[in-house]
Amino acid sequence: MALSLVHSTLFSKTSQLLLHTKIGFSHFSSSIPFSTSALPSNPKTWRRPVISVLELGGVKIARDDVVRDDPTNNVPDTIFSKLGLQLHRRDQHPLGILKNTIYDYFDTNYSNKFDKFDELCPIVSVKQNFDDVLVPADHVSRSYNDTYYVDSQTVLRCHTSAHQAELLRKGHTHFLVTGDVYRRDSIDSTHYPVFHQMEGFRVFSPDEWEASGMDGTSFAAEDLKKCLEGLATHLFGAVEMRWVDTYFPFTNPSFELEIYFKEKWLEVLGCGVTEQEILKRNGKLNNVAWAFGLGLERLAMVLFDIPDIRLFWSDDERFTSQFSKGQLGTKFKPFSRYPPCYKDMSFWISESFTENNLCEVVRGIAGDLVEE
């Protein structure tokens, strides 16, 4: 059959696990292209050297621990090279600036009640990544075409919710988890196989909602909406907002928050009241909780006017020098004076073809700027 490589969303609306803003919670699109004219013409110079050992959270991880000659392993060197970069921990990077701004909101409004985690290792078990957050056994997100597997029981986390159960068992009741997450996806101006998420989680005890005269679920939902409306105002100013009912396997009820920004409705995040089964499994038998998830790139692209998600990974000083610690919303200024160049190609493939396998072979040679 003939193939034309085109943009596609990783998961459908009903099955999306955590794309860009979700503990599966959202997606942003833009038609603004990224100019590649400032890059060297020799493709070989695009290839980053592969680091043999990196350190994550004080633990040293060798390349052979992640990229293996094993039939169950599908992690390429291009993905391994991103593991230790942790853009969200750079205070002068747009993602770090945004993360710290959100931290300021929670510190100010909740008296430093929320514990913060931003260096948890992204290599997790299948149980942590899927089972602990009630992802069904036959869910599409578990496929080798969608998730990076180190081996049959170990993956690169698809979402920061992979740490939710562990933190609950350790006794944390209010926490924010920020980190790099990994999905096998197309690369274009709004999609990248590595991006960054923040999850928020809050547990309530019976005495907190009984005094209100409300049931636990209603109390948690009301508190959640109040919290996130305040966060949206903190980031975007006085904007019109609306709540949309939706579905996630790990929360019930579930919502998405949208704001009216620059004359259009923009999905900001997804959230909901945590499924009781998750709490029961982790020692919170008589509690209720809420959770939210947001994608840092999605919001940063809007707040900083960054037109292409790949720019976040740039080491070019013309990009990095534009941003300063604590300065949310500095508007990105394009630095290439050349127009983009569009290319298209089609070819014949067999019935056993898997698109992401081919895409990663091509990226290994030509780099991330190959799209569609």
PDB file of all heavy atoms in Angstrom, residues 304-326:
ATOM      1  N   PHE A 304       4.465  32.327  26.020  1.00  0.00           N
ATOM      2  CA  PHE A 304       5.688  32.927  25.503  1.00  0.00           C
ATOM      3  C   PHE A 304       5.652  33.148  23.978  1.00  0.00           C
ATOM      4  O   PHE A 304       6.643  33.579  23.398  1.00  0.00           O
ATOM      5  CB  PHE A 304       6.893  32.044  25.844  1.00  0.00           C
ATOM      6  CG  PHE A 304       7.220  31.976  27.317  1.00  0.00           C
ATOM      7  CD1 PHE A 304       6.684  30.982  28.113  1.00  0.00           C
ATOM      8  CD2 PHE A 304       8.070  32.900  27.911  1.00  0.00           C
ATOM      9  CE1 PHE A 304       6.980  30.895  29.474  1.00  0.00           C
ATOM     10  CE2 PHE A 304       8.376  32.837  29.262  1.00  0.00           C
ATOM     11  CZ  PHE A 304       7.825  31.825  30.043  1.00  0.00           C
ATOM     12  N   ASP A 305       4.527  32.834  23.336  1.00  0.00           N
ATOM     13  CA  ASP A 305       4.412  32.956  21.868  1.00  0.00           C
ATOM     14  C   ASP A 305       5.488  32.150  21.138  1.00  0.00           C
ATOM     15  O   ASP A 305       6.087  32.609  20.171  1.00  0.00           O
ATOM     16  CB  ASP A 305       4.488  34.425  21.432  1.00  0.00           C
ATOM     17  CG  ASP A 305       3.166  35.147  21.604  1.00  0.00           C
ATOM     18  OD1 ASP A 305       2.158  34.475  21.918  1.00  0.00           O
ATOM     19  OD2 ASP A 305       3.136  36.376  21.434  1.00  0.00           O
ATOM     20  N   ILE A 306       5.730  30.925  21.616  1.00  0.00           N
ATOM     21  CA  ILE A 306       6.713  30.052  20.966  1.00  0.00           C
ATOM     22  C   ILE A 306       5.975  29.196  19.937  1.00  0.00           C
ATOM     23  O   ILE A 306       5.089  28.418  20.291  1.00  0.00           O
ATOM     24  CB  ILE A 306       7.433  29.173  22.014  1.00  0.00           C
ATOM     25  CG1 ILE A 306       8.235  30.073  22.958  1.00  0.00           C
ATOM     26  CG2 ILE A 306       8.331  28.139  21.349  1.00  0.00           C
ATOM     27  CD1 ILE A 306       8.872  29.350  24.116  1.00  0.00           C
ATOM     28  N   PRO A 307       6.292  29.309  18.642  1.00  0.00           N
ATOM     29  CA  PRO A 307       5.485  28.695  17.590  1.00  0.00           C
ATOM     30  C   PRO A 307       5.773  27.225  17.331  1.00  0.00           C
ATOM     31  O   PRO A 307       4.996  26.561  16.647  1.00  0.00           O
ATOM     32  CB  PRO A 307       5.838  29.525  16.355  1.00  0.00           C
ATOM     33  CG  PRO A 307       7.256  29.930  16.588  1.00  0.00           C
ATOM     34  CD  PRO A 307       7.355  30.172  18.075  1.00  0.00           C
ATOM     35  N   ASP A 308       6.883  26.693  17.845  1.00  0.00           N
ATOM     36  CA  ASP A 308       7.274  25.329  17.510  1.00  0.00           C
ATOM     37  C   ASP A 308       7.807  24.630  18.749  1.00  0.00           C
ATOM     38  O   ASP A 308       8.722  25.125  19.416  1.00  0.00           O
ATOM     39  CB  ASP A 308       8.353  25.348  16.420  1.00  0.00           C
ATOM     40  CG  ASP A 308       8.531  23.996  15.766  1.00  0.00           C
ATOM     41  OD1 ASP A 308       8.909  23.033  16.481  1.00  0.00           O
ATOM     42  OD2 ASP A 308       8.299  23.876  14.557  1.00  0.00           O
ATOM     43  N   ILE A 309       7.244  23.466  19.062  1.00  0.00           N
ATOM     44  CA  ILE A 309       7.606  22.753  20.286  1.00  0.00           C
ATOM     45  C   ILE A 309       9.072  22.321  20.305  1.00  0.00           C
ATOM     46  O   ILE A 309       9.690  22.200  21.356  1.00  0.00           O
ATOM     47  CB  ILE A 309       6.668  21.534  20.478  1.00  0.00           C
ATOM     48  CG1 ILE A 309       6.760  21.000  21.908  1.00  0.00           C
ATOM     49  CG2 ILE A 309       6.966  20.438  19.446  1.00  0.00           C
ATOM     50  CD1 ILE A 309       5.705  19.959  22.226  1.00  0.00           C
ATOM     51  N   ARG A 310       9.666  22.134  19.126  1.00  0.00           N
ATOM     52  CA  ARG A 310      11.070  21.714  19.062  1.00  0.00           C
ATOM     53  C   ARG A 310      12.026  22.793  19.540  1.00  0.00           C
ATOM     54  O   ARG A 310      13.167  22.509  19.928  1.00  0.00           O
ATOM     55  CB  ARG A 310      11.408  21.293  17.634  1.00  0.00           C
ATOM     56  CG  ARG A 310      10.747  19.987  17.218  1.00  0.00           C
ATOM     57  CD  ARG A 310      10.795  19.782  15.722  1.00  0.00           C
ATOM     58  NE  ARG A 310       9.937  20.748  15.032  1.00  0.00           N
ATOM     59  CZ  ARG A 310       9.737  20.750  13.719  1.00  0.00           C
ATOM     60  NH1 ARG A 310      10.340  19.855  12.967  1.00  0.00           N
ATOM     61  NH2 ARG A 310       8.943  21.642  13.160  1.00  0.00           N
ATOM     62  N   LEU A 311      11.586  24.039  19.526  1.00  0.00           N
ATOM     63  CA  LEU A 311      12.449  25.125  19.986  1.00  0.00           C
ATOM     64  C   LEU A 311      12.813  24.984  21.462  1.00  0.00           C
ATOM     65  O   LEU A 311      13.863  25.463  21.891  1.00  0.00           O
ATOM     66  CB  LEU A 311      11.760  26.470  19.750  1.00  0.00           C
ATOM     67  CG  LEU A 311      11.798  26.992  18.310  1.00  0.00           C
ATOM     68  CD1 LEU A 311      10.820  28.151  18.137  1.00  0.00           C
ATOM     69  CD2 LEU A 311      13.203  27.429  17.932  1.00  0.00           C
ATOM     70  N   PHE A 312      11.972  24.329  22.244  1.00  0.00           N
ATOM     71  CA  PHE A 312      12.279  24.156  23.666  1.00  0.00           C
ATOM     72  C   PHE A 312      13.588  23.394  23.866  1.00  0.00           C
ATOM     73  O   PHE A 312      14.231  23.532  24.905  1.00  0.00           O
ATOM     74  CB  PHE A 312      11.139  23.423  24.371  1.00  0.00           C
ATOM     75  CG  PHE A 312       9.888  24.232  24.526  1.00  0.00           C
ATOM     76  CD1 PHE A 312       8.744  23.907  23.812  1.00  0.00           C
ATOM     77  CD2 PHE A 312       9.839  25.328  25.372  1.00  0.00           C
ATOM     78  CE1 PHE A 312       7.584  24.653  23.944  1.00  0.00           C
ATOM     79  CE2 PHE A 312       8.686  26.090  25.514  1.00  0.00           C
ATOM     80  CZ  PHE A 312       7.553  25.745  24.792  1.00  0.00           C
ATOM     81  N   TRP A 313      13.967  22.574  22.895  1.00  0.00           N
ATOM     82  CA  TRP A 313      15.173  21.761  23.016  1.00  0.00           C
ATOM     83  C   TRP A 313      16.401  22.445  22.424  1.00  0.00           C
ATOM     84  O   TRP A 313      17.490  21.880  22.427  1.00  0.00           O
ATOM     85  CB  TRP A 313      14.958  20.409  22.339  1.00  0.00           C
ATOM     86  CG  TRP A 313      13.839  19.655  22.974  1.00  0.00           C
ATOM     87  CD1 TRP A 313      12.521  19.651  22.604  1.00  0.00           C
ATOM     88  CD2 TRP A 313      13.924  18.818  24.131  1.00  0.00           C
ATOM     89  NE1 TRP A 313      11.781  18.853  23.446  1.00  0.00           N
ATOM     90  CE2 TRP A 313      12.615  18.331  24.399  1.00  0.00           C
ATOM     91  CE3 TRP A 313      14.977  18.415  24.959  1.00  0.00           C
ATOM     92  CZ2 TRP A 313      12.349  17.487  25.457  1.00  0.00           C
ATOM     93  CZ3 TRP A 313      14.699  17.575  26.018  1.00  0.00           C
ATOM     94  CH2 TRP A 313      13.395  17.119  26.258  1.00  0.00           C
ATOM     95  N   SER A 314      16.250  23.650  21.945  1.00  0.00           N
ATOM     96  CA  SER A 314      17.337  24.350  21.275  1.00  0.00           C
ATOM     97  C   SER A 314      18.387  24.846  22.267  1.00  0.00           C
ATOM     98  O   SER A 314      18.062  25.355  23.339  1.00  0.00           O
ATOM     99  CB  SER A 314      16.782  25.538  20.481  1.00  0.00           C
ATOM    100  OG  SER A 314      17.834  26.286  19.912  1.00  0.00           O
ATOM    101  N   ASP A 315      19.658  24.704  21.884  1.00  0.00           N
ATOM    102  CA  ASP A 315      20.762  25.277  22.648  1.00  0.00           C
ATOM    103  C   ASP A 315      21.250  26.578  22.009  1.00  0.00           C
ATOM    104  O   ASP A 315      22.234  27.166  22.476  1.00  0.00           O
ATOM    105  CB  ASP A 315      21.929  24.284  22.730  1.00  0.00           C
ATOM    106  CG  ASP A 315      21.583  23.073  23.576  1.00  0.00           C
ATOM    107  OD1 ASP A 315      20.848  23.244  24.563  1.00  0.00           O
ATOM    108  OD2 ASP A 315      22.042  21.957  23.241  1.00  0.00           O
ATOM    109  N   ASP A 316      20.588  26.999  20.945  1.00  0.00           N
ATOM    110  CA  ASP A 316      20.976  28.210  20.236  1.00  0.00           C
ATOM    111  C   ASP A 316      20.778  29.422  21.149  1.00  0.00           C
ATOM    112  O   ASP A 316      19.698  29.636  21.695  1.00  0.00           O
ATOM    113  CB  ASP A 316      20.111  28.360  18.974  1.00  0.00           C
ATOM    114  CG  ASP A 316      20.654  29.407  18.016  1.00  0.00           C
ATOM    115  OD1 ASP A 316      21.017  30.504  18.488  1.00  0.00           O
ATOM    116  OD2 ASP A 316      20.708  29.130  16.797  1.00  0.00           O
ATOM    117  N   GLU A 317      21.811  30.220  21.325  1.00  0.00           N
ATOM    118  CA  GLU A 317      21.732  31.375  22.207  1.00  0.00           C
ATOM    119  C   GLU A 317      20.677  32.378  21.754  1.00  0.00           C
ATOM    120  O   GLU A 317      20.157  33.150  22.555  1.00  0.00           O
ATOM    121  CB  GLU A 317      23.092  32.068  22.309  1.00  0.00           C
ATOM    122  CG  GLU A 317      24.120  31.272  23.107  1.00  0.00           C
ATOM    123  CD  GLU A 317      25.402  32.058  23.327  1.00  0.00           C
ATOM    124  OE1 GLU A 317      25.468  33.228  22.865  1.00  0.00           O
ATOM    125  OE2 GLU A 317      26.325  31.512  23.953  1.00  0.00           O
ATOM    126  N   ARG A 318      20.368  32.373  20.455  1.00  0.00           N
ATOM    127  CA  ARG A 318      19.339  33.280  19.961  1.00  0.00           C
ATOM    128  C   ARG A 318      17.965  32.916  20.537  1.00  0.00           C
ATOM    129  O   ARG A 318      17.065  33.750  20.578  1.00  0.00           O
ATOM    130  CB  ARG A 318      19.299  33.270  18.427  1.00  0.00           C
ATOM    131  CG  ARG A 318      20.547  33.872  17.788  1.00  0.00           C
ATOM    132  CD  ARG A 318      20.495  33.710  16.278  1.00  0.00           C
ATOM    133  NE  ARG A 318      20.551  32.306  15.889  1.00  0.00           N
ATOM    134  CZ  ARG A 318      20.438  31.885  14.620  1.00  0.00           C
ATOM    135  NH1 ARG A 318      20.247  32.755  13.633  1.00  0.00           N
ATOM    136  NH2 ARG A 318      20.516  30.597  14.354  1.00  0.00           N
ATOM    137  N   PHE A 319      17.831  31.670  20.990  1.00  0.00           N
ATOM    138  CA  PHE A 319      16.614  31.256  21.684  1.00  0.00           C
ATOM    139  C   PHE A 319      16.782  31.380  23.190  1.00  0.00           C
ATOM    140  O   PHE A 319      15.992  32.051  23.863  1.00  0.00           O
ATOM    141  CB  PHE A 319      16.267  29.815  21.325  1.00  0.00           C
ATOM    142  CG  PHE A 319      15.072  29.276  22.074  1.00  0.00           C
ATOM    143  CD1 PHE A 319      13.777  29.636  21.716  1.00  0.00           C
ATOM    144  CD2 PHE A 319      15.239  28.413  23.151  1.00  0.00           C
ATOM    145  CE1 PHE A 319      12.673  29.171  22.409  1.00  0.00           C
ATOM    146  CE2 PHE A 319      14.140  27.925  23.854  1.00  0.00           C
ATOM    147  CZ  PHE A 319      12.861  28.309  23.475  1.00  0.00           C
ATOM    148  N   THR A 320      17.809  30.760  23.732  1.00  0.00           N
ATOM    149  CA  THR A 320      17.956  30.683  25.191  1.00  0.00           C
ATOM    150  C   THR A 320      18.163  32.042  25.851  1.00  0.00           C
ATOM    151  O   THR A 320      17.745  32.254  26.989  1.00  0.00           O
ATOM    152  CB  THR A 320      19.131  29.757  25.562  1.00  0.00           C
ATOM    153  OG1 THR A 320      20.342  30.257  24.960  1.00  0.00           O
ATOM    154  CG2 THR A 320      18.880  28.338  25.052  1.00  0.00           C
ATOM    155  N   SER A 321      18.783  32.982  25.153  1.00  0.00           N
ATOM    156  CA  SER A 321      19.083  34.286  25.752  1.00  0.00           C
ATOM    157  C   SER A 321      17.855  35.186  25.857  1.00  0.00           C
ATOM    158  O   SER A 321      17.913  36.249  26.488  1.00  0.00           O
ATOM    159  CB  SER A 321      20.163  35.006  24.939  1.00  0.00           C
ATOM    160  OG  SER A 321      19.698  35.298  23.627  1.00  0.00           O
ATOM    161  N   GLN A 322      16.745  34.767  25.268  1.00  0.00           N
ATOM    162  CA  GLN A 322      15.545  35.608  25.283  1.00  0.00           C
ATOM    163  C   GLN A 322      14.764  35.526  26.594  1.00  0.00           C
ATOM    164  O   GLN A 322      13.874  36.343  26.833  1.00  0.00           O
ATOM    165  CB  GLN A 322      14.617  35.220  24.125  1.00  0.00           C
ATOM    166  CG  GLN A 322      15.190  35.514  22.743  1.00  0.00           C
ATOM    167  CD  GLN A 322      14.139  35.345  21.649  1.00  0.00           C
ATOM    168  OE1 GLN A 322      12.958  35.612  21.863  1.00  0.00           O
ATOM    169  NE2 GLN A 322      14.579  34.886  20.478  1.00  0.00           N
ATOM    170  N   PHE A 323      15.097  34.545  27.455  1.00  0.00           N
ATOM    171  CA  PHE A 323      14.278  34.293  28.637  1.00  0.00           C
ATOM    172  C   PHE A 323      15.092  34.456  29.913  1.00  0.00           C
ATOM    173  O   PHE A 323      16.279  34.129  29.951  1.00  0.00           O
ATOM    174  CB  PHE A 323      13.685  32.889  28.558  1.00  0.00           C
ATOM    175  CG  PHE A 323      12.991  32.633  27.244  1.00  0.00           C
ATOM    176  CD1 PHE A 323      13.621  31.895  26.252  1.00  0.00           C
ATOM    177  CD2 PHE A 323      11.743  33.168  26.982  1.00  0.00           C
ATOM    178  CE1 PHE A 323      13.003  31.670  25.027  1.00  0.00           C
ATOM    179  CE2 PHE A 323      11.111  32.963  25.768  1.00  0.00           C
ATOM    180  CZ  PHE A 323      11.742  32.209  24.787  1.00  0.00           C
ATOM    181  N   SER A 324      14.429  34.947  30.953  1.00  0.00           N
ATOM    182  CA  SER A 324      15.102  35.207  32.233  1.00  0.00           C
ATOM    183  C   SER A 324      14.287  34.630  33.377  1.00  0.00           C
ATOM    184  O   SER A 324      13.054  34.550  33.317  1.00  0.00           O
ATOM    185  CB  SER A 324      15.266  36.719  32.455  1.00  0.00           C
ATOM    186  OG  SER A 324      16.020  37.305  31.414  1.00  0.00           O
ATOM    187  N   LYS A 325      14.968  34.235  34.432  1.00  0.00           N
ATOM    188  CA  LYS A 325      14.338  33.659  35.610  1.00  0.00           C
ATOM    189  C   LYS A 325      13.252  34.584  36.150  1.00  0.00           C
ATOM    190  O   LYS A 325      13.447  35.789  36.317  1.00  0.00           O
ATOM    191  CB  LYS A 325      15.391  33.418  36.688  1.00  0.00           C
ATOM    192  CG  LYS A 325      14.848  32.823  37.981  1.00  0.00           C
ATOM    193  CD  LYS A 325      15.969  32.609  38.987  1.00  0.00           C
ATOM    194  CE  LYS A 325      15.420  32.050  40.297  1.00  0.00           C
ATOM    195  NZ  LYS A 325      16.503  31.820  41.288  1.00  0.00           N
ATOM    196  N   GLY A 326      12.074  34.026  36.390  1.00  0.00           N
ATOM    197  CA  GLY A 326      10.980  34.775  36.984  1.00  0.00           C
ATOM    198  C   GLY A 326      10.198  35.651  36.030  1.00  0.00           C
ATOM    199  O   GLY A 326       9.235  36.302  36.435  1.00  0.00           O
TER     200      GLY A 326
END
